[in-house]
Amino acid sequence: MNEQHSAPQPKKERLIFWLIAYGLTFLMGLPLAIAQRGGYNTDVFPNAQMYYPAAGVMLAYLAARRPSLPRRFFVFYLLNTAALVASCLGAVLAPGDVWLAAANLIVVAGSALAWVFLLTERKEKRAAAGLRWHGGVKALGFVALFILLRTAAVFLSMLPYGQLGEYLAYWSTPAPYLTFLLLIPNFFLSFLPFFGEEYGWRYYLQPRLQQRFGPRGGVLALGLVWAAWHLPLNFFYYAPETGLQSFASQIITCVVMAVFFGWAYMKTQNIWVPVLLHCFNNSLILIYSGTAVVSNQTVTWFDILVQLIVYGVIFLPFLASGVFRKVCPAEK
């Protein structure tokens, strides 16, 4: 085979990544808007969207015919993504709760089977695709630190609203701790959406943005890119009546999380660490708020001010870490 055609093609890879990670996201924003305006169930759309960044990376690598890819795992993941896209379209064309049930089945059954496909791939292939766990138990220390900081941020956020006493009373009951224990097996049965974002953002895009904008500038730029990616959800899912405020809140969330997730990834070079961080960040909402419902919220500018101060103070200092003096190597 001609070496010119078999070698990786970075420009083509980048184009495919952006077309899937961003292009598909905004394209699917159209049926999401139609479903939201029509009063249909839109809960299938957020989970599906989380799959698109990793799907972009996988399609880019497969199109470039990169050697030593875990192809079976990649193909299985892409089939799951296609099934979720079909569920989103079904929610618009034939509205009904069946599509959410189908999507939940795809995520849970898909995650369980994905472990089989992933772990039966050869170690060299997993390593070549950045999918090996390393760092031992120490890597889990970053997850524990994040849970502590995220919980502290929630407690501090209660102060301006005068709800700290009520919140402390809730934490004096067994409920939050029992729910937390359930989150651990839940990760193994629903890891694909979180992997979907982190394999795209942290593994693929972060080192490329850091090479262009520097170690700190790269993670901040990623935070903005990540926030903008949520726009369809901000305006047609999370807070349709206060979409602008929701997007402002999203910018804060994504920038501060990009700093901490990026820091943890650079310290460990283990993509599973930010996958776990992302999983706990999203899943802990069930403990912090007592509900998993995140749609049709009302976000105020005061909420945004509190969030900016609390989360900025807790997470932005990680930018001062010495790890940001070097750049994560990006594949060519």
Side-chain angles (χ1 to χ4, degrees):
M1 181 180 293
N2 189 316
E3 188 174 333
Q4 177 181 344
H5 296 291
S6 61
Q9 304 166 41
K11 288 184 179 179
K12 181 180 178 181
E13 286 184 2
R14 288 195 297 269
L15 176 61
I16 293 174
F17 170 76
W18 287 110
L19 284 175
I20 301 301
Y22 249 77
L24 182 57
T25 293
F26 282 87
L27 182 63
M28 293 300 293
L30 296 176
L32 170 59
I34 294 170
Q36 190 273 326
R37 297 303 184 196
Y40 309 149
N41 190 323
T42 56
D43 290 336
V44 63
F45 284 86
N47 266 344
Q49 185 169 318
M50 293 176 75
Y51 278 66
Y52 303 159
V57 178
M58 293 177 185
L59 281 172
Y61 284 1
L62 290 169
R65 299 183 182 181
R66 287 195 172 220
S68 301
L69 291 177
R71 292 180 183 275
R72 289 185 294 111
F73 173 68
F74 277 17
V75 170
F76 180 76
Y77 181 92
L78 292 171
L79 290 174
N80 273 254
T81 305
L84 285 171
V85 170
S87 298
C88 291
L89 297 177
V92 178
L93 298 174
D97 291 338
V98 64
W99 300 110
L100 177 59
N104 289 336
L105 179 61
I106 292 167
V107 171
V108 173
S111 293
L113 286 172
W115 287 116
V116 176
F117 281 100
L118 178 62
L119 296 176
T120 54
E121 293 280 7
R122 291 169 56 188
K123 290 181 180 180
E124 312 89 77
K125 291 187 176 182
R126 280 184 279 143
L131 298 174
R132 289 286 306 278
W133 173 275
H134 51 85
V137 178
K138 288 183 179 179
L140 295 176
F142 293 89
V143 181
L145 174 61
F146 175 74
I147 293 172
L148 289 174
L149 294 176
R150 181 77 166 81
T151 304
V154 171
F155 274 89
L156 291 174
S157 297
M158 294 293 163
L159 290 173
Y161 300 95
Q163 297 176 342
L164 184 58
E166 180 183 341
Y167 205 56
L168 287 172
Y170 163 67
W171 279 82
S172 67
T173 69
Y177 307 101
L178 293 175
T179 304
F180 179 80
L181 291 177
L182 293 176
L183 297 183
I184 298 173
N186 180 67
F187 167 75
F188 293 99
L189 293 175
S190 61
F191 83 97
L192 280 183
F194 310 105
F195 170 82
E197 285 202 50
E198 292 308 311
Y199 197 62
W201 304 137
R202 241 57 60 183
Y203 173 75
Y204 182 83
L205 193 56
Q206 176 175 307
R208 286 160 173 79
L209 290 179
Q210 287 183 310
Q211 286 196 332
R212 182 168 183 178
F213 299 109
R216 293 182 178 88
V219 295
L220 294 175
L222 177 55
L224 296 175
V225 168
W226 190 16
W229 176 82
H230 285 85
L231 269 168
L233 297 176
N234 293 128
F235 282 91
F236 302 115
Y237 183 77
Y238 294 142
E241 301 301 319
T242 53
L244 184 60
Q245 294 94 318
S246 176
F247 180 54
S249 174
Q250 193 76 62
I251 292 174
I252 297 168
T253 298
C254 288
V255 168
V256 298
M257 293 303 156
V259 169
F260 189 89
F261 289 12
W263 170 77
Y265 180 53
M266 293 180 73
K267 292 283 286 186
T268 63
Q269 289 298 293
N270 182 345
I271 192 57
W272 295 105
V273 170
V275 171
L276 282 164
L277 295 177
H278 200 144
C279 177
F280 277 102
N281 178 67
N282 289 28
S283 301
L284 285 170
I285 293 173
L286 180 61
I287 296 176
Y288 298 144
S289 64
T291 177
V293 177
V294 294
S295 60
N296 298 308
Q297 303 174 50
T298 298
V299 182
T300 69
W301 292 111
F302 182 71
D303 296 333
I304 293 166
L305 178 62
V306 172
Q307 181 188 18
L308 177 63
I309 294 171
V310 172
Y311 284 81
V313 166
I314 288 179
F315 290 106
L316 289 183
F318 284 92
L319 277 174
S321 170
V323 75
F324 285 109
R325 297 194 186 103
K326 60 182 180 179
V327 180
C328 288
E331 296 176 77
K332 296 182 179 179

